[in-house]
Amino acid sequence: MRRDLAVEPIRALLDPDTLEELRERLGRGRLLPAGAEGWERGVPRLWLAELLADWTAFDVAGFQARLDELTHLRAHAGGLSVHLVHAPGRGPDPLPLLLTHGWPGSFCEYLRLLPLLTDPAADGGDPADAFTVVVPSLPGFGFSAPPPPGGLTAEAVAGLWHRIMTEGLGYPRYAAHGSDLGAGVTARLARAYPDAVAGIHLATPGLPAPPLPWTPAEQAYVAEAEAWTAEEGGYAHEQATKPATLGAALHDSPVALAAWIGEKIVAWSSTTGRGQPAFGRDLLLGTLTLYWATGTAASSLLPYWAARHTPGSALPAGNPPPVPTAVSVFGGERVPFPKPPRELAERFFTLTGWQEHDRGGHFPAVAEPGLLAEILRDTFRPLRELCQGASRDAGSDRPPHIGGSCCGGSSGIGGGCGFPNAASAADMAP
């Protein structure tokens, strides 16, 4: 096994000068003249004005303090620099679990989920269900460095993730979960590394149209995806065709950034009992602050470009990998996503679990962390023995900087969404 991948602890710091500049720009933003206040034509002026006012008053120091509670690492591999959150599990033999976010999200989506996974006993659960959790930031997102100018496909990111988990962190066998772009990456992990990936869980994956013939359910899904793309997929087309043009606006203007990201988060969130987006205002403001402070709004668009302009980037149907795969289809979004039928998923994966929920939306780790934690525990419980065996077999081969067992131990280092086209949806959407 190669040892040319370096992992080091870091502090994930929001630059004070950049934040001060943000406050100045928020104070002189220019909004559109008053118009209709519905969402039909995009973000309403009044809603955006309130969001900008809240952003101006956002407790950045409190957000930084929350980041400082986490263990942040940086992995260097192949000229790329990737940010990770590493959360050791508290249990007899925690299972390594890789969580991958999507757009317009970040590692912050998983913060409420982390303690439920790492320390189930604190929530009244079984300590044997503990996970050691690794949450990377996609290349070009947050504290990860930008990818090459053309971006990286889901397959390329999966290769990077695998190196980080095995060579960098010393986990010879691990499980993985993903949503949105993260579902595409996770699907590619299972296909490329079945000997290392014990199992995967996908949240409402977008799947491409398979070869004909189609079943009635598959035909209905493809038609629904095409209709959704025509009405709701303009953002994905722009990000896949002219990301630099859009990126110039998002990089320069906090008003543009808040409108572009805020509208999608509201549209794709499920709602609380009071009718508010389950993606809370503080999390939205923290997400916007992260994109702005790290200057990654433009580079976060590149996965769409890479998927559209890389031949063979779509997940292939047929000959599914043997990796056990569970799929949870979440619902309740204000603007519903097309939901794939089980028979379509069976063309791509070796399905061992299928659940459908009327809540959770596009961000289930935010909206329903308890439900998602329960699903992940149930999904991966039968696979733990495989990982424990890999841990025993690894023996002294594990990297010296990782404490605890290779399945986690109790110690250690302190689709985009949408359907840009029917052929490439799996690596892009929800």
Side-chain angles (χ1 to χ4, degrees):
M1 182 181 290
R2 293 180 297 170
R3 298 296 189 205
D4 60 344
L5 190 155
V7 179
E8 61 181 354
I10 63 167
R11 184 187 180 200
L13 180 64
L14 303 169
D15 179 62
D17 292 339
T18 302
L19 296 175
E20 181 59 32
E21 180 194 18
L22 169 62
R23 188 177 297 275
E24 293 177 7
R25 286 173 177 257
L26 285 169
R28 50 186 170 87
R30 188 171 69 163
L31 297 177
L32 289 170
E37 287 302 325
W39 290 88
E40 293 79 9
R41 293 193 294 276
V43 60
R45 182 187 188 279
L46 178 60
W47 184 89
L48 181 58
E50 292 174 346
L51 177 63
L52 296 172
D54 288 347
W55 197 3
T56 302
F58 180 56
D59 181 10
V60 177
F63 182 47
Q64 180 67 67
R66 179 69 183 93
L67 296 180
D68 288 341
E69 294 173 358
L70 305 169
T71 296
H72 300 271
L73 307 177
R74 178 176 288 127
H76 302 275
L80 296 172
S81 177
V82 175
H83 162 256
L84 319 165
V85 169
H86 185 268
R90 298 184 180 182
D93 201 353
L95 172 65
L97 176 61
L98 177 66
L99 305 179
T100 307
H101 66 85
W103 184 91
S106 72
F107 70 92
C108 294
E109 286 178 41
Y110 292 115
L111 295 189
R112 292 180 62 197
L113 184 64
L114 279 180
L116 302 179
L117 296 178
T118 58
D119 191 9
D123 194 46
D126 186 346
D129 285 333
F131 296 91
T132 283
V133 183
V134 179
V135 189
S137 296
L138 288 167
F141 285 69
F143 296 107
S144 285
L152 295 175
T153 64
E155 185 175 20
V157 175
L160 182 59
W161 274 198
H162 178 69
R163 287 201 62 199
I164 289 172
M165 291 297 286
T166 56
E167 300 173 37
L169 299 178
Y171 302 135
R173 200 155 172 83
Y174 56 91
H177 157 85
S179 62
D180 191 80
L181 291 176
V185 172
T186 304
R188 286 291 185 170
L189 275 170
R191 188 165 288 270
Y193 308 103
D195 292 337
V197 180
I200 64 172
H201 177 268
L202 306 176
T204 320
L207 298 174
L212 293 170
W214 297 340
T215 68
E218 290 169 341
Q219 185 173 0
Y221 170 74
V222 171
E224 186 181 359
E226 290 176 348
W228 190 96
T229 299
E231 187 66 25
E232 298 289 339
Y235 78 97
H237 185 76
E238 178 71 15
Q239 293 178 182
T241 57
K242 296 294 182 287
T245 303
L246 172 63
L250 302 184
H251 187 76
D252 178 70
S253 169
V255 176
L257 182 64
W260 193 256
I261 288 181
E263 188 263 325
K264 292 308 173 196
I265 284 180
V266 171
W268 299 341
S269 291
S270 57
T271 57
T272 66
R274 294 182 292 177
Q276 298 300 310
F279 201 107
R281 181 57 66 100
D282 278 352
L283 179 56
L284 172 54
L285 296 172
T287 300
L288 292 173
T289 301
L290 181 64
Y291 274 88
W292 181 270
T294 57
T296 53
S299 56
S300 75
L301 311 179
L302 292 177
Y304 291 78
W305 170 272
R308 185 178 182 89
H309 292 87
T310 304
S313 64
L315 193 70
N319 192 27
V323 175
T325 300
V327 174
S328 296
V329 178
F330 295 97
E333 309 98 326
R334 190 182 65 81
V335 178
F337 276 92
K339 305 298 190 289
R342 176 170 182 152
E343 58 214 67
L344 176 58
E346 288 174 338
R347 296 200 188 209
F348 296 90
F349 308 108
T350 300
L351 281 187
T352 55
W354 180 272
Q355 297 184 38
E356 299 184 17
H357 304 275
D358 61 0
R359 64 193 194 277
H362 197 61
F363 307 99
V366 175
E368 298 289 342
L371 173 62
L372 183 55
E374 180 181 358
I375 291 171
L376 294 176
R377 293 170 191 164
D378 292 344
T379 295
F380 296 125
R381 191 176 293 123
L383 308 177
R384 288 178 177 272
E385 186 174 347
L386 295 174
C387 284
Q388 291 163 355
S391 173
R392 290 189 293 269
D393 293 342
S396 61
D397 189 45
R398 84 175 57 111
H401 58 267
I402 298 292
S405 83
C406 277
C407 264
S410 58
S411 61
I413 309 182
C417 336
F419 296 82
N421 59 65
S424 64
D427 287 337
M428 295 296 302

